[in-house]
Amino acid sequence: MKIFHNTHHAEHAGRQEMFRGRLVDCHEVPMRLQHVLDELSKRPVGTLVQPAADLPLDAALRRVHSADYLDFLAHAWRDWVALDPANAAVDALPSVWPLAARHGFRTDVPPLNFAARLGQYAFDSGTPLTAGSWAAAREGAACALAASHAVLGGDHFAMALTRPPGHHAGPNYMGGYCFINNAAVAAQALHDGGLQRVAVLDVDYHHGNGTQTIFYERSDVFTASIHGDPRTEYPFFLGHADERGAGAGEGFNLNLPLPRGTGFEVWWATLQTAMQAVSDFAPQALVVPLGLDTFEGDPISGFKLRSADYLQVSRAIAQLGLPTVLTFEGGYAVAEVGVNTVNVLEGLRG
Ligand code: SP5
Ligand code: ZN
């Protein structure tokens, strides 16, 4: 299988994220992807390739993100430094937000101040935006787009090995370490390539709120997610079981939240439920936002999957028999994320 590798990923290197009143070292670090590359050099289960330079990337981005949000991202670093030249040495984090209209704040007058604009487009203060974030996120989306093109061209599996991750990024917002929703770019590209029904099966520990929102009112992209119960787990404000889709999309979103502490037996049974729903939808292709933060050793998550479990998980996913694009999402047990990721890729082979 082709593994589209984001050679620009390390240009996104946040220093600290806000957590409960403290700035703590970032969990989403360049070494995560390096560990996957190191493990792939020992177990070459795929071929590392780079996306072609002439992909219609901007058009693909506009299919899932608003033009104003993409424009914000493209110029965010310039505008952050313009706010104060000293900012060049500091990552951009939001600190003020226009809460929803029900709180009485106005959202109809676009602010000029960059700190306010950052608050408009970011839903948490855990996602540092750095000088190289846009370049890295953009190239990562190119990997996702290229992976979909490979599958449209007849490859059975393809992976976008990229960071920053993507599944928390919504139509017009960043957050959860994510800027561009790579899984949504991939799913939309599969659809635009002629596949009328595409399924997304998100196995990251955290609910894929961005992907859910992007496709929430659509019946042509079915979204399913197994994740920590948002009543206690990030991203808290989306991911409940009663979110089933809306309008034409009603019945085309499935959330399977599980309590913190869930082990493999229950997670596995829940995967069967999710895969049955995917099968019932009868998709022509599958996108798997692949988070490895379900691992028992993950420092910020609460499920208890073990390294060997990932072989079994991907063997089951492969048995769906669907052309599949995988996007690299979370997984913060940095030393183990390479083994766990390559176990998934090895299991796909049966
Ligand atoms: C893609 C993905 O997995 N994003 C997850 C984003 C989670 N962000 C909030 C996590 C806060 C955990 N901080 C724990 C610090 C303990 N020292
Ligand atoms: Zn996650």
Side-chain angles (χ1 to χ4, degrees), residues 274-286:
M275 289 198 311
Q276 184 62 55
V278 167
S279 288
D280 291 347
F281 177 67
Q284 292 152 299
L286 178 67

Side-chain angles (χ1 to χ4, degrees), residues 196-197 215-222 248-250 252 281:
Q196 282 167 11
R197 297 165 75 82
F215 297 114
Y216 203 61
E217 298 186 12
R218 289 173 52 174
S219 59
D220 49 4
V221 179
F222 175 75
E250 189 162 358
F252 294 92
F281 177 67

Side-chain angles (χ1 to χ4, degrees), residues 17-20 24-25 27-28 32 123-124 126-127 164-168 175-178 204-206 234-236 291 293 299-301 328-332:
E17 58 184 83
M18 178 67 80
F19 179 66
R20 298 182 185 169
V24 302
D25 289 347
H27 295 280
E28 204 291 287
R32 298 175 59 241
F123 76 90
D124 70 13
T127 309
H167 76 147
H168 294 300
Y177 314 150
C178 304
D204 187 280
Y205 178 75
H206 305 96
Y234 186 93
F236 305 117
D293 42 12
I300 68 168
S301 308
F328 189 54
E329 304 288 345
Y332 309 102

